[in-house]
Amino acid sequence: MEFKDFSLFIKDTKIGSTFTDALVSGKIFGTRCGRCGRTFFPPRAECPDCLEESIEFVEIPTRGRLLSFTAIFVPPAHYGIPRSKMPFAKVTQIPCPVGVVEVEGGLRVMGWIPDVDLKALQVGDPFEVQARTLKNGQVTIVLSPI
Amino acid sequence: MKHKVAIVGAGQGRFGVREDASQRELAFEAVAAALKDAGTTLKDVDSMVTAVAADEFSFALQPSAQMHDYLEFFPKANFRVEGACASGSMALRVGWMTVASGLADVVLVLGAEKMTEVSTSQATEIMGKGGDAIWEYPFGMTFPGFYAMVARAHMAAFGTTEEQLAMVAVKNHFYGSQNPLAHMPKEITLEKALNSFMVAYPLKLYDCSLITDGAAAVILASEERARDFAKSPVWIEGIGTATDTMRIADRDALHTLRATVEAAKKAYRLAGIGPEEVDVATVHDCFTIAEICAYEDLGFCPKGEGGAFIEDRQTYIGGKIPVNVDGGLKSKGHPVGATGVAMAVEIMKQLRGECGSRQVPGAEVGLTHNVGGSGQVVGVTIYKKD
């Protein structure tokens, strides 16, 4: 399978392609240490407690609660709109909110919160995390209210 | 500690958008001011430590060597220390270790950053990559974004309001307007702060600190040498550093900077004092919510009461503990590598009673609190008047 774009630098990691391939198939993978059983999200290839690479990929729980959120109105250059060259013109961007969900078991997952009014969001709301493939082929994670 | 360490000279150049000066020239301004303050020259200095947070702003490798070269400090030692926005405090710590260990008697600690050679959106990108480049960057997270999540968590847990956040900005601009070296020395109203444009919900323009060029320097000396300089020394009584997770999402509580709590514990223990004995403090107000968290995490008020603490004006001069009466990062400015050193400069001058209209009367114990990134590394330092 062709490598799917999730983020900067992930291609050159030990977990990259397994993680992004899982996202394409609708699954969010964490990892578990085969020795002590500790589970990680984001996934990582080594256990810092056991110093071992005896890691297996596991699907993480998907339901939990919204821990916090924001919406970035002044974006970094990679998500910014180029400045309009038209005199007197203004270009405004309505950003998609981003948040962090604590899923059952305590792992924390960051993701986009599309199609929800920013002002309606509340810390503590029940949420579900989902893998999503975007129209441009990029894979990402979205957070949806339950 | 084996040996006591004093600050014997302190200096800061003008903070701002300094299109008139290169990074090495900014560094020179601060070093010259610190040496003149101590009544000495570089000939009397044994060793040097330099804080620069990011090469990305200056497009050059070894920026600290460029500044060292411009000072002609050969062949004496200089090396760079990096701890993001806490680089200055980490350099101060390394300078303190150099003197406390007996390795050198007089050490120059310099912090400098020239941030405005890149555009605001590029600076936002560079700073945003100060978060986790694999796991947070794809969601467009920026520095204001991280602290916006801290703010929402604080508001949800304790009922902190956007008005209370804005009150921090109003206070810091009030004092910054009295600081001739500040980047934005002007007062603002609560209405202006509340009506400014949204940067990262719920943080607005006036909740954010500035992208600033600037430098600051202090001269440290051993107990044997501390009284050989022009003015009375100020003693470093306690110093603490602590760390936390790269991703804010991984922290137990988003509304607390655990690294602040732990660094403060160490600094208070070493100094043998508690928070109630601090007379004046500079805390890391990179965003207004960060100052409110700092009140609580440093023990100036109970957890959750930081919003009410600023609303009751307890951090103005005349309140329980004056905080950031130099204008803070908010109005004085935040040239990231220089910030921690500039905080030490302010406390030095406060404890010597040299701050004019914004002097805290009778200040004898001071504290600086400097946060790297969104809490990945924190330095807390406690100072006492001679």
Side-chain angles (χ1 to χ4, degrees):
Chain A
M1 189 184 282
E2 183 196 350
F3 191 86
K4 294 291 174 183
D5 180 21
F6 175 75
S7 82
L8 212 61
F9 310 135
I10 195 171
K11 192 168 184 181
D12 301 326
T13 64
K14 293 179 179 178
I15 45 86
S17 61
T18 310
F19 176 73
T20 57
D21 289 351
L23 285 179
V24 174
S25 65
K27 292 174 183 166
I28 302 175
F29 273 179
T31 52
R32 184 166 56 209
C33 174
R35 193 156 166 182
C36 72
R38 186 174 161 192
T39 311
F40 302 95
F41 188 87
R44 52 178 295 159
E46 311 87 358
C47 175
D49 295 331
C50 303
L51 305 178
E52 296 289 343
E53 275 197 40
S54 56
I55 286 289
E56 55 191 359
F57 283 90
V58 289
E59 267 192 80
I60 63 165
T62 56
R63 294 166 80 89
R65 290 188 178 276
L66 186 63
L67 209 58
S68 197
F69 63 95
T70 182
I72 313 286
F73 285 77
V74 178
H78 71 282
Y79 280 134
I81 301 171
R83 176 181 276 218
S84 171
K85 292 191 174 88
M86 186 190 292
F88 315 113
K90 278 184 189 159
V91 177
T92 54
Q93 174 166 280
I94 300 166
C96 176
V98 288
V100 175
V101 167
E102 179 176 278
V103 296
E104 287 153 14
L107 296 174
R108 311 281 181 81
V109 184
M110 184 176 276
W112 301 108
I113 311 176
D115 312 320
V116 180
D117 180 18
L118 180 60
K119 306 268 172 174
L121 289 170
Q122 294 282 345
V123 168
D125 284 349
F127 260 74
E128 189 169 31
V129 303
Q130 296 157 346
R132 183 79 61 88
T133 302
L134 303 174
K135 281 181 188 146
N136 65 4
Q138 196 181 18
V139 287
T140 192
I141 294 169
V142 298
L143 314 177
S144 306
I146 300 173
Chain B
M1 269 306 118
K2 203 170 171 192
H3 302 288
K4 282 186 78 176
V5 181
I7 304 183
V8 297
Q12 183 204 314
R14 184 172 59 79
F15 281 8
V17 178
R18 292 293 305 271
E19 285 168 351
D20 62 311
S22 64
Q23 188 175 47
R24 65 190 76 177
E25 289 166 334
L26 293 176
F28 193 91
E29 287 176 6
V31 172
L35 289 166
K36 284 177 189 167
D37 185 55
T40 188
T41 67
L42 279 176
K43 289 191 182 70
D44 207 20
V45 178
D46 303 319
S47 185
M48 173 177 172
V49 185
T50 305
V52 186
D55 299 347
E56 286 82 353
F57 293 117
S58 54
F59 304 106
L61 274 179
Q62 48 173 354
S64 93
Q66 295 177 26
M67 293 184 268
H68 168 266
D69 173 80
Y70 198 64
L71 295 166
E72 299 195 331
F73 193 59
F74 339 108
K76 292 184 268 192
N78 171 52
F79 57 90
R80 173 186 176 178
V81 174
E82 188 276 313
C85 320
S87 296
S89 287
M90 296 307 119
L92 183 70
R93 179 185 174 88
V94 171
W96 171 81
M97 285 159 59
T98 309
V99 176
S101 65
L103 203 60
D105 277 319
V106 182
V107 173
L108 164 65
V109 177
L110 165 66
E113 206 85 44
K114 186 134 202 277
M115 300 177 73
T116 70
E117 289 187 10
V118 300
S119 70
T120 298
S121 75
Q122 283 172 305
T124 304
E125 177 101 14
I126 291 166
M127 298 292 283
K129 279 186 199 159
D132 191 307
I134 296 178
W135 301 106
E136 292 174 332
Y137 174 91
F139 302 103
M141 287 300 288
T142 60
F143 248 89
F146 295 124
Y147 276 97
M149 287 207 190
V150 171
R152 284 257 59 105
H154 204 279
M155 289 167 153
F158 307 119
T160 309
T161 64
E162 292 182 39
E163 287 76 11
Q164 288 170 335
L165 298 184
M167 287 170 190
V168 172
V170 170
K171 169 180 70 71
N172 293 357
H173 276 280
F174 171 70
Y175 288 115
S177 72
Q178 301 167 50
N179 184 347
L181 298 177
H183 180 163
M184 201 180 275
K186 61 165 193 181
E187 286 192 59
I188 59 163
T189 62
L190 193 67
E191 292 67 37
K192 183 167 184 175
L194 286 169
N195 293 322
S196 60
F197 68 82
M198 194 66 75
V199 173
Y201 179 78
L203 300 182
K204 294 167 278 292
L205 179 67
Y206 282 101
D207 288 305
C208 305
S209 59
L210 306 167
I211 295 173
T212 304
D213 305 325
V218 293
I219 315 291
L220 306 182
S222 62
E223 193 167 14
E224 294 70 34
R225 294 293 317 278
R227 294 178 203 290
D228 297 348
F229 299 88
K231 298 181 194 168
S232 58
V234 160
W235 298 96
I236 295 179
E237 294 285 323
I239 201 159
T241 299
T243 56
D244 207 346
T245 61
M246 190 73 206
R247 288 176 304 281
I248 55 160
D250 291 346
R251 304 201 184 146
D252 291 342
L254 264 60
H255 52 60
T256 299
L257 265 65
R258 184 175 59 179
T260 295
V261 175
E262 295 300 322
K265 261 191 219 164
K266 291 181 196 174
Y268 287 134
R269 197 184 309 132
L270 201 57
I273 66 159
E276 62 289 343
E277 286 166 76
V278 178
D279 299 316
V280 57
T282 57
V283 310
H284 199 89
D285 60 324
C286 52
F287 299 94
T288 50
I289 183 62
E291 180 164 322
I292 285 175
C293 290
Y295 298 159
E296 301 166 355
D297 297 341
L298 292 166
F300 296 160
C301 71
K303 189 71 209 169
E305 295 179 17
F309 205 58
I310 178 65
E311 194 166 353
D312 295 344
R313 298 174 68 90
Q314 295 293 359
T315 50
Y316 278 80
I317 294 173
K320 263 188 189 151
I321 164 85
V323 172
N324 290 339
V325 297
D326 58 349
L329 282 54
K330 185 69 213 57
S331 167
K332 186 174 78 169
H334 184 24
V336 280
T339 288
V341 184
M343 288 174 163
V345 173
E346 166 67 10
I347 292 301
M348 166 76 161
K349 295 192 180 281
Q350 282 286 346
L351 299 187
R352 277 196 194 145
E354 295 175 349
C355 291
S357 65
R358 43 178 202 81
Q359 175 65 44
V360 175
E364 294 191 352
V365 177
L367 178 147
T368 58
H369 161 255
N370 191 197
V371 178
S374 49
Q376 286 86 1
V377 56
V378 171
V380 174
T381 311
I382 295 167
Y383 313 76
K384 264 188 193 156
K385 192 176 169 172
D386 191 38

